[in-house]
Amino acid sequence: MPTGPTDAYKGFSETGLRRVHAVLSRHVETGRIPGLVALFSQGDETHVETLGTMRHDGGDPMRRDTIFRMASTSKPVSVAAAMVLLDECRLRLDDSVQEWLPELADRRVLKRIDGPLDDTVPARRPITVRDVLTSTFGLGMDMTVLGTPIMGAVFEQGITPNLPEPMPEPDEWMRRLGTLPLMHQPGENWQYQIASDLLGVLVARVTGQSFESFLRERVFDPLGMKDTGFHVPADRLDRLPPLYAPDPETGEFHVWDEAEGGRHSTPPAFQGGGGGLNSTADDYHAYFRMLLNGGMHGSERILSRAAVELMTTNRLGPQQQAARHALATDNVHISFGQGQHGGWGFGMAVRTYRGDYAPIGQFGWDGGSGTSTYADPDNGLTGILLTQVGASVPDPVRLMHDFWTTLYQAVND
């Protein structure tokens, strides 16, 4: 993996850079995206665009150090904590997790995903670390089975984020999780979200530290990610814009989360690896550049090259990948076209087919709060796009598509 500019990487064309700026500006000028920060790099060449304002009705301009709710782009970063533990042999991929998560011992599995909660069979085997890291441990957010008893129970137990009540502290969260049957046998199906939150509890129990303190000690501080964490301290709240969830019918801006007194203004009871981080473009750039550099940050090793390669290559078998692909393509109206990447590594998507301008091998993820973060080993490219508009409307997702389309057009041949 490259560590700097080479003959193979010729940077960005002036014409391409002008187009990136013009296309991003066009989104802001519509009024549907109040502001954005975009940061992209190749080798030692880095470009930053800061456009628009923090609030939809004006006010302070966006700045390079504006802090954003990273939502699901938390997943590719929080998984690094588990990789540190794998590197140190404090975790093994095929160890059962019940040593640390006894609430998940002796699982029962639904006979049918839409069946009653007590119509179950025993799990064929225990849940392993690998199952958690690949999001195949048996439970997840499945938008194709909304209205089934199991999805109703997931919501009733309050074990997913963004419900009116915040998630409970980790031991209570685990207790509630342990009352539910699995949707699928361990290792069988890829499912979204819950595994990423479970990962944080696993790390905390293995290390005897809070998930955030371990991430800070082993990932954030060594990388200089000084503005990344599960809440925004009071003296930085002026750098956090409100998060908007526009009305899907009218487009009218509604504040989903205000900065002062909002969900991210105080330390949460549950440090959610699936979607709880706040961060900046530069902090995330440092993280993804470290992955591109095979686990190195300057002269300091954060992760082994082998760990990075494991995280950032597809870990799903053909049947699992087919199910994930169907989820993306058959529910395109939910995701506005995002999610059609093919594979999944640990905590992030991995492109396994050429479905748009991005090449096979690009890795990263998007967030429902209007965030998009990827790196591309073939082109030595990293891109971070951050805004404050949630995906209740297609506008932030269309912005993501256009950002990546223009970014790849801008790469010099």
Side-chain angles (χ1 to χ4, degrees), residues 150-375:
I150 184 62
M151 283 305 297
V154 165
F155 291 129
E156 283 162 24
Q157 291 288 353
I159 58 172
T160 61
N162 302 326
L163 298 175
E165 286 295 310
M167 297 201 296
E169 53 83 28
D171 288 350
E172 172 60 16
W173 187 86
M174 283 302 308
R175 186 196 68 76
R176 296 181 192 183
L177 187 67
T179 67
L180 301 175
L182 300 181
M183 296 164 151
H184 299 283
Q185 289 285 345
E188 196 172 64
N189 272 53
W190 181 88
Q191 290 185 289
Y192 193 54
Q193 180 60 43
I194 296 177
S196 297
D197 286 327
L198 182 60
L199 175 116
V201 183
L202 177 62
V203 168
R205 290 194 178 174
V206 171
T207 62
Q209 296 175 243
S210 76
F211 184 40
E212 182 169 31
S213 69
F214 186 74
L215 271 169
R216 188 164 307 289
E217 180 186 307
R218 302 306 299 273
V219 182
F220 300 161
D221 285 352
L223 286 171
M225 297 172 69
K226 60 185 186 298
D227 288 318
T228 303
F230 288 105
H231 83 288
V232 180
D235 62 355
R236 301 180 203 176
L237 276 175
D238 61 318
R239 291 161 52 198
L240 180 72
L243 175 61
Y244 295 106
D247 185 293
E249 300 296 320
T250 66
E252 181 187 353
F253 279 91
H254 296 298
V255 175
W256 167 254
D257 187 45
E258 195 55 86
E260 291 279 348
R263 293 166 184 243
H264 292 258
S265 64
T266 54
F270 189 97
Q271 295 168 353
L277 288 175
N278 306 277
S279 193
T280 63
D282 278 293
D283 279 11
Y284 256 60
H285 184 234
Y287 179 77
F288 276 87
R289 282 299 296 267
M290 177 272 291
L291 296 183
L292 271 192
N293 291 337
M296 294 296 291
H297 177 68
S299 60
E300 186 169 0
R301 180 160 292 287
I302 310 296
L303 295 171
S304 69
R305 180 176 291 276
V308 172
E309 289 170 353
L310 192 61
M311 295 162 69
T312 60
T313 51
N314 178 46
R315 304 262 63 86
L316 302 184
Q319 283 180 294
Q320 295 166 329
Q321 205 167 330
R324 174 166 143 63
H325 182 66
L327 195 67
T329 55
D330 296 350
N331 291 281
V332 71
H333 59 292
I334 294 173
S335 65
F336 308 116
Q338 277 304 84
Q340 296 187 41
H341 312 81
W344 192 260
F346 289 167
M348 66 189 88
V350 179
R351 302 246 176 199
T352 52
Y353 68 97
R354 189 83 188 233
D356 55 25
Y357 281 47
I360 290 170
Q362 186 208 44
F363 55 81
W365 197 226
D366 308 295
S369 58
T371 55
S372 186
T373 59
Y374 289 86

Side-chain angles (χ1 to χ4, degrees), residues 61-94:
M62 282 288 181
R63 305 184 340 200
R64 183 168 176 164
D65 67 350
T66 296
I67 297 171
F68 293 87
R69 299 160 191 80
M70 299 308 291
S72 286
T73 59
S74 303
K75 292 176 172 70
V77 172
S78 59
V79 75
M83 305 313 292
V84 169
L85 295 176
L86 287 172
D87 272 345
E88 296 179 351
C89 299
R90 295 162 78 183
L91 279 177
R92 299 182 198 90
L93 283 170
D94 294 307

Side-chain angles (χ1 to χ4, degrees), residues 131-142:
D131 298 331
V132 176
L133 289 174
T134 53
S135 294
T136 61
F137 84 98
L139 267 175
M141 295 296 296
D142 189 340

